[in-house]
C-alpha cells in the first residue's frame, strides 16, 4: 500500500524551528517528486515547497523562501521540511504529497490532483 506519513509538528514560539518529516511506505520516494502543502484554519491549501527526484531541484513559495529547506534522505525513505524563523502565520496543517512522477511541474504543483497524500501534521506558532 502506497502511503505517506507526516510527523514533527507541534507548538513552537515565534522565531523557533521545527523539522517536519514525510515518510513513505509501499514505494521508494527517491524516484518521485515530493511536495509540501499547508492549510491554515479558514484558508485554502497552499503550496510550500517541492523537491524533484531527477536532480533534487527544489521549489519554494515566496512565504517559505529563505526560511524553509526541503531535503530527502533516500536511505530513510523520508523527505524533510526544515522550518526556521517561524511566524504565527506559518500556523497550519502541513501535508506532503506526490503525483508519482519523477519531476513535478509547476502546473501540477499548483493545479494538479496529486495522487498520494499524507494525513497532515499540525504546526502551531504562538507565544
Amino acid at each position: 500500500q502506497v502511503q505517506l506519513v507526516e510527523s514533527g509538528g507541534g507548538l513552537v514560539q515565534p522565531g523557533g524551528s521545527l523539522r517536519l518529516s514525510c515518510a513513505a511506505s509501499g514505494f521508494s520516494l527517491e524516484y518521485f517528486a515530493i511536495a509540501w502543502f499547508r492549510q491554515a484554519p479558514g484558508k485554502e491549501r497552499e503550496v510550500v515547497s517541492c523537491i524533484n527526484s531527477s536532480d533534487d531541484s527544489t521549489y519554494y513559495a515566496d512565504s517559505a523562501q529563505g526560511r524553509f529547506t526541503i531535503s530527502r534522505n533516500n536511505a530513510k525513505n523520508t523527505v524533510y521540511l526544515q522550518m526556521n524563523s517561524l511566524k504565527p502565520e506559518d500556523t497550519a496543517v502541513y501535508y506532503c504529497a506526490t503525483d508519482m512522477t519523477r519531476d513535478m511541474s509547476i502546473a501540477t504543483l499548483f493545479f494538479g490532483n496529486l495522487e498520494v497524500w499524507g494525513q497532515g501534521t499540525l504546526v502551531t506558532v504562538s507565544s
Side-chain angles (χ1 to χ4, degrees):
Q1 182 182 1
V2 173
Q3 194 174 10
L4 294 172
V5 178
E6 303 94 337
S7 62
L11 174 63
V12 63
Q13 292 187 341
S17 298
L18 280 176
R19 188 178 77 162
L20 305 184
S21 298
C22 172
S25 61
F27 71 106
S28 296
L29 57 71
E30 69 178 293
Y31 300 114
F32 301 100
I34 304 292
W36 284 96
F37 297 82
R38 69 185 183 186
Q39 187 164 19
K43 295 187 177 181
E44 292 191 355
R45 189 178 65 209
E46 62 178 1
V47 175
V48 176
S49 183
C50 179
I51 185 167
N52 289 318
S53 67
S54 64
D55 59 0
D56 279 347
S57 57
T58 58
Y59 169 85
Y60 294 97
D62 288 345
S63 59
Q65 187 73 45
R67 299 188 300 128
F68 295 2
T69 302
I70 191 170
S71 62
R72 63 170 76 233
N73 183 324
N74 293 332
K76 295 187 176 181
N77 213 23
T78 300
V79 166
Y80 302 101
L81 185 68
Q82 177 68 42
M83 305 188 297
N84 300 328
S85 302
L86 283 162
K87 305 174 183 180
E89 50 264 43
D90 294 318
T91 295
V93 178
Y94 284 72
Y95 301 89
C96 60
T98 180
D99 66 344
M100 302 299 287
T101 63
R102 288 188 63 84
D103 297 324
M104 199 178 302
S105 70
I106 293 297
T108 298
L109 189 59
F110 280 87
F111 307 111
N113 290 318
L114 274 64
E115 189 171 332
V116 182
W117 289 84
Q119 83 290 347
T121 186
L122 176 62
V123 172
T124 303
V125 184
S126 176
S127 55

